[in-house]
Amino acid sequence: MKVEPKYVMIHFKPLELYPPAINLISYFGQHGEKQLLVLTTVLSGQQLKEFDPGMPNIHIKRFAAIKQHSLWRLWHYLQFYAGALMILLKYKPVSVLYFETISSWPALMYKKIRKGQTQLMVHYHEYNSPVEYHSGMRLVKEMYKMEKKMYSNSFDWISHTNEIRLADFKKDNALNNLEKNIFHAMPNYPSKYWGSVQSKSVDENNIRLVYLGALGFDNMYIRETLEWVKSNDCLTLDIYANVMDDKASSYIHEFECSRINYHGSISYPEIPGMLKKYDVGLVIYKPFNENTVNAVSNKVFEYLACGLDVWFSQDMTYTLKYARLNAYPKVVPVDFNRLAEFNYREQLDRKNIPYQATAYYYENVYPEIYAKMVNSYE
């Protein structure tokens, strides 16, 4: 690498599985000429295209994929963490942003070494309670202990996807009385280029539903949704999933209905063009844990950006704040346990209601974290 990047993002898990990380990297690349280095791992076993930002100021270093065999697995963990720390010490970035506790060790160690010469920043895709950390992977548990010791005096930015998760995080880690203004809510929105036109109409005799995202049989209304679609001749359902557990895979592939089609995975840049073929996007989580109840799926905003109505599980109580029935695209809470009683034709009716464009774009969110990264100690 001829240039010496002064800004580094560390994302241990493959970027291709985390659209919010891709979006933030893209936003950074679109603003100015500051050089950003991203440290991550190779995506393996997935039919997704490798993310290539195609921007001269974005550099991605991918370490080997984590293997399942225990000895190789340990070696690749060590390779990533030691390699990432060596890169940080070589380039001496003035801002380091890492994602999730599993990415933390190189950034924490670098901060200990450089102290006030660098900004330490973290964003959490998901909320994990202390109980979940304690019962989880030992490596992550040890990193969390390091984080916890440094939260109050070493961090310059800590963000979660919404204010509820952020409040729980501050309570869990005894940070409510911290005077430093380092806490931020940073939701996961798509780009403005996803935006749709308002003249989208729905054929009541051919209502095109789509589900996009990971699938888990025990924590989603898969059976209920497929049986409901099968019982209504005017409904079709297309499913795009890059991650799916064995129970979900078996059920979907064995389910017999010509109007339900499984398409496998789709790369993030291809999603807008695909979604605009549909009328309604589904979000089908059960109240499985706090991450589903106290969160709103990225898909809500992606569906809206492409002009689709959104039908989401009413069990997702935080998502209820985004519900709207008096403008389209609509965002409709649905009882997936009682789909036979759901009047979907009424919900699709757009008579006498206006079109309302969505404002949920990352261009309205990322300026704050970008400014924090680049207005550092340089």
Side-chain angles (χ1 to χ4, degrees):
M1 190 183 303
K2 295 181 180 180
V3 298
E4 294 192 1
K6 293 302 179 183
Y7 309 95
V8 173
M9 294 183 189
I10 305 176
H11 198 286
F12 178 84
K13 296 181 180 179
L15 297 172
E16 292 76 11
L17 300 178
Y18 292 85
I22 290 176
N23 286 339
L24 184 55
I25 293 166
S26 299
Y27 183 86
F28 197 104
Q30 295 160 6
H31 291 76
E33 299 179 353
K34 295 185 182 296
Q35 303 295 315
L36 173 69
L37 174 62
V38 183
L39 306 178
T40 187
T41 54
V42 172
L43 178 70
S44 64
Q46 303 280 345
Q47 296 179 344
L48 290 175
K49 293 180 182 178
E50 185 174 88
F51 168 59
D52 179 9
M55 301 174 184
N57 60 326
I58 304 297
H59 313 276
I60 300 179
K61 163 67 176 175
R62 288 180 169 87
F63 290 82
I66 303 301
K67 303 295 184 182
Q68 294 301 316
H69 188 277
S70 58
L71 290 179
W72 277 113
R73 188 178 181 86
L74 177 60
W75 165 247
H76 285 147
Y77 276 119
L78 293 173
Q79 187 180 49
F80 178 87
Y81 294 128
L85 178 58
M86 294 301 293
I87 289 172
L88 294 176
L89 293 172
K90 176 181 178 180
Y91 292 119
K92 297 180 175 61
V94 294
S95 290
V96 179
L97 168 66
Y98 71 87
F99 294 79
E100 301 286 347
T101 300
I102 198 168
S103 306
S104 66
W105 189 86
L108 298 177
M109 293 304 297
Y110 179 70
K111 180 66 175 182
K112 285 177 176 287
I113 295 168
R114 297 281 291 173
K115 300 187 186 300
Q117 296 175 287
T118 188
Q119 290 192 132
L120 179 61
M121 307 169 67
V122 59
H123 176 68
Y124 295 100
H125 295 303
E126 304 286 352
Y127 164 76
N128 289 288
S129 69
V131 172
E132 289 172 312
Y133 276 118
H134 183 73
S135 61
M137 189 168 68
R138 181 175 179 179
L139 183 64
V140 174
K141 180 168 60 176
E142 294 302 316
M143 290 184 193
Y144 172 61
K145 291 179 181 178
M146 289 181 64
E147 285 182 305
K148 196 167 184 177
K149 291 177 181 178
M150 297 175 67
Y151 280 143
S152 62
N153 55 20
S154 298
F155 280 77
D156 299 277
W157 174 286
I158 298 174
S159 55
H160 273 271
T161 58
N162 65 53
E163 66 277 9
I164 293 180
R165 288 178 169 183
L166 193 59
D168 288 340
F169 169 86
K170 291 168 70 175
K171 180 181 178 182
D172 291 341
N173 296 287
L175 296 171
N176 279 321
N177 295 324
L178 189 66
E179 294 183 0
K180 292 169 63 178
N181 184 25
I182 62 172
F183 301 107
H184 306 267
M186 193 170 75
N188 299 328
Y189 296 159
S191 174
K192 285 181 178 178
Y193 88 84
W194 285 41
S196 181
V197 294
Q198 71 175 69
S199 59
K200 194 175 182 68
S201 59
V202 179
D203 180 356
E204 291 189 358
N205 296 313
N206 181 27
I207 301 167
R208 300 162 298 176
L209 311 178
V210 63
Y211 175 83
L212 171 67
L215 282 170
F217 192 82
D218 292 331
N219 63 351
M220 296 185 181
Y221 291 106
I222 295 173
R223 177 180 56 81
E224 293 84 352
T225 301
L226 268 59
E227 290 180 353
W228 173 66
V229 171
K230 184 176 182 178
S231 66
N232 290 273
D233 291 341
C234 63
L235 301 178
T236 65
L237 172 62
D238 285 358
I239 299 169
Y240 298 82
N242 56 355
V243 178
M244 183 163 51
D245 67 25
D246 291 340
K247 289 174 68 175
S249 178
S250 296
Y251 188 84
I252 290 171
H253 286 103
E254 293 172 7
F255 195 86
E256 295 183 1
C257 178
S258 61
R259 290 175 287 104
I260 298 175
N261 296 288
Y262 173 68
H263 300 277
S265 59
I266 182 170
S267 296
Y268 191 66
E270 300 174 319
I271 291 175
M274 176 275 290
L275 284 182
K276 291 175 184 179
K277 301 185 296 183
Y278 298 96
D279 304 311
V280 179
L282 302 179
V283 183
I284 59 175
Y285 287 101
K286 293 179 179 179
F288 190 70
N289 57 28
E290 290 184 75
N291 271 320
T292 55
V293 173
N294 292 331
V296 54
S297 169
N298 307 349
K299 305 311 169 192
V300 170
F301 308 118
E302 293 166 1
Y303 293 151
L304 282 176
C306 294
L308 282 68
D309 282 6
V310 181
W311 294 348
F312 71 94
S313 165
Q314 67 180 22
D315 299 316
M316 303 173 67
T317 54
Y318 182 83
T319 308
L320 291 171
K321 67 180 289 186
Y322 294 94
R324 69 177 188 188
L325 304 178
N326 58 354
Y328 73 91
K330 293 181 178 180
V331 184
V332 183
V334 177
D335 185 347
F336 278 82
N337 286 308
R338 303 172 68 180
L339 282 171
E341 302 173 24
F342 177 52
N343 190 339
Y344 57 89
R345 293 186 184 278
E346 178 182 329
Q347 295 301 336
L348 287 168
D349 185 8
R350 294 179 173 178
K351 293 178 182 177
N352 301 318
I353 64 170
Y355 167 80
Q356 183 176 321
T358 178
Y360 303 126
Y361 297 122
Y362 71 59
E363 288 86 351
N364 299 326
V365 173
Y366 290 159
E368 186 179 15
I369 191 171
Y370 177 81
K372 183 64 177 177
M373 283 195 74
V374 301
N375 297 330
S376 52
Y377 304 113
E378 194 172 30

